[in-house]
Amino acid sequence: MTRAPKSNFFAVELLNGHIYIHMDLGSGAVKVRASRRRVDDGVWHELSLRRNGRDGKVGVDGQWNEFRTPGEASQMQLDSPMYIGGIGPPYAEIYIPPAIWTATLRQGFVGCLRDLTLSGKPVDIAHIARQQDSGAIKPSCHVIANQCGGQVSPCQNGGQCTEGWNRPLCDCSATLFTGPTCGRESATLAFNGSQHMAVWIGGTQGSRTQTEELVIRFKTSRPAGLLLLTSAESSSSDRLEIGLVAGRVRANVRLGDREKNLLAGLTVLNDNNWHTVRFSRRASNLRLQVDGTQPVRVPLNKRTSGVHQLARMMVRGSLMLTTIDGNCH
């Protein structure tokens, strides 16, 4: 895997209810939590950012925090578009700094924006939206409540419905279907124990991430077998391995010289019924869950950088697989 490019970048993300600022002038990145209180409360908030060389200050609703970028660089050189509300089409060849978790997970902004000003010049985001979008971005801000409360659920085939911003959100991970409303049958693969397939991740440069989410469904009668394994094409020993051991799901995570095993599943899972495995990582915090059981949470190590280098994912075993849904671009 090639080294991540050295580039200037600036980003604003909403993560776990708080606003974070990311900035790199070419000599090191800084991440600043801008909000002192959660802002996912459905009311309007104002974000302001000012920078002079390496010194900056960011304010949310009039409460300011100062910061300073590392290194000696003091100019920001940008030569690509500014994305608003998300970061381009899914799986696009866009370098995403590992620290911007919502971009890695493709979690775009859900809500309303207005009054964008850059260096004192107003930006007509409504006009830009009309030029670039066919109408999915609405030129207003209103709330339609109770998306899941009708007699007929908008989520088909047993999908679980939760309220989104003016739309229902369907969780299809416990079904054999996929799509926005769980209406499309998932692709299903059968392995005989000697077969495997390789999925290349992150294009030609591989991937460097601080966060991943993965959901996979399987059924098997064998008590042991490898479900998937990620690897890097460089000298990195980073890996994520998920498999069955004595009928339970085990995840082995290695980042640098740190390694952890997680074991989940209260009963044996080689019963030829479908089971859902969910794995997620946020820097050094690991989480593994099988079906609806209590998730297993384990910290990897506070001293690790939390950056996972990977280029391909191997899938193999004596089982049937469906609904592989990963965010580790």
Side-chain angles (χ1 to χ4, degrees):
M1 185 174 68
T2 58
R3 185 180 299 273
K6 293 286 186 180
S7 61
N8 292 202
F9 69 84
F10 165 67
V12 180
E13 70 172 339
L14 176 62
L15 177 66
N16 296 330
H18 285 279
I19 295 290
Y20 290 85
I21 301 295
H22 301 262
M23 186 177 295
D24 191 338
L25 304 182
S27 57
V30 63
K31 178 179 180 180
V32 181
R33 195 176 90 170
S35 55
R36 300 181 185 180
R37 299 178 181 177
R38 296 180 68 103
V39 296
D40 54 342
D41 51 9
V43 301
W44 286 104
H45 297 276
E46 182 179 12
L47 169 68
S48 301
L49 174 71
R50 299 170 184 171
R51 182 183 68 87
N52 183 9
R54 295 172 53 205
D55 297 316
K57 58 186 301 187
V58 58
V60 175
D61 299 331
Q63 295 183 315
W64 293 86
N65 293 314
E66 297 182 349
F67 65 91
R68 185 175 176 86
T69 59
E72 298 181 357
S74 60
Q75 294 183 347
M76 179 175 291
Q77 302 179 24
L78 303 176
D79 57 5
S80 61
M82 178 176 67
Y83 294 96
I84 299 176
I87 190 156
Y91 308 105
E93 288 284 344
I94 301 172
Y95 169 67
I96 299 175
I100 308 177
W101 293 0
T102 53
T104 300
L105 298 174
R106 301 289 174 174
Q107 295 177 348
F109 176 72
V110 179
C112 299
L113 295 174
R114 69 181 184 189
D115 301 334
L116 175 63
T117 302
L118 296 177
S119 300
K121 182 179 179 180
V123 178
D124 191 347
I125 55 178
H127 175 70
I128 296 173
R130 288 193 298 269
Q131 286 184 319
Q132 299 183 5
D133 191 84
S134 60
I137 302 176
K138 303 298 183 182
S140 60
C141 188
H142 61 280
V143 178
I144 302 176
N146 200 23
Q147 297 290 299
C148 300
Q151 292 183 346
V152 179
S153 173
C155 304
Q156 306 174 50
N157 300 303
Q160 297 298 310
C161 182
T162 57
E163 296 288 340
W165 186 274
N166 294 343
R167 64 189 175 104
L169 301 177
C170 297
D171 182 358
C172 313
S173 59
T175 75
L176 297 180
F177 295 83
T178 186
T181 60
C182 310
R184 186 171 67 251
E185 189 172 359
S186 298
T188 302
L189 303 176
F191 296 80
N192 65 11
S194 62
Q195 302 163 318
H196 76 275
M197 60 180 290
V199 180
W200 292 91
I201 299 172
T204 58
Q205 295 184 347
S207 176
R208 290 170 53 88
T209 63
Q210 289 184 2
T211 181
E212 300 92 32
E213 287 187 358
L214 184 144
V215 179
I216 185 171
R217 302 200 75 216
F218 74 91
K219 71 173 182 177
T220 183
S221 59
R222 302 288 183 88
L226 176 67
L227 292 177
L228 61 88
L229 170 69
T230 67
S231 63
E233 289 298 292
S234 65
S235 59
S236 171
S237 61
D238 293 358
R239 72 169 182 268
L240 165 63
E241 178 182 339
I242 298 179
L244 282 178
V245 177
R248 301 179 68 189
V249 172
R250 184 184 71 179
N252 174 268
V253 181
R254 182 179 179 88
L255 295 179
D257 61 350
R258 306 297 174 182
E259 186 172 1
K260 283 288 185 180
N261 286 308
L262 294 81
L263 194 63
L266 299 178
T267 59
V268 293
L269 303 173
N270 54 314
D271 54 4
N272 244 0
N273 292 317
W274 286 104
H275 298 282
T276 303
V277 179
R278 302 171 186 266
F279 173 83
S280 64
R281 182 178 72 92
R282 300 292 185 270
S284 61
N285 296 310
L286 312 177
R287 183 181 185 274
L288 179 67
Q289 184 180 28
V290 176
D291 298 329
T293 60
Q294 187 73 15
V296 178
R297 292 181 172 88
V298 175
L300 185 61
N301 191 288
K302 294 296 184 182
R303 290 182 294 174
T304 183
S305 67
V307 176
H308 182 193
Q309 300 185 39
L310 66 157
R312 64 179 175 178
M313 178 171 63
M314 307 292 292
V315 183
R316 66 180 304 167
S318 303
L319 40 77
M320 295 184 70
L321 296 176
T322 186
T323 318
I324 299 178
D325 182 12
N327 287 285
C328 46
H329 311 298

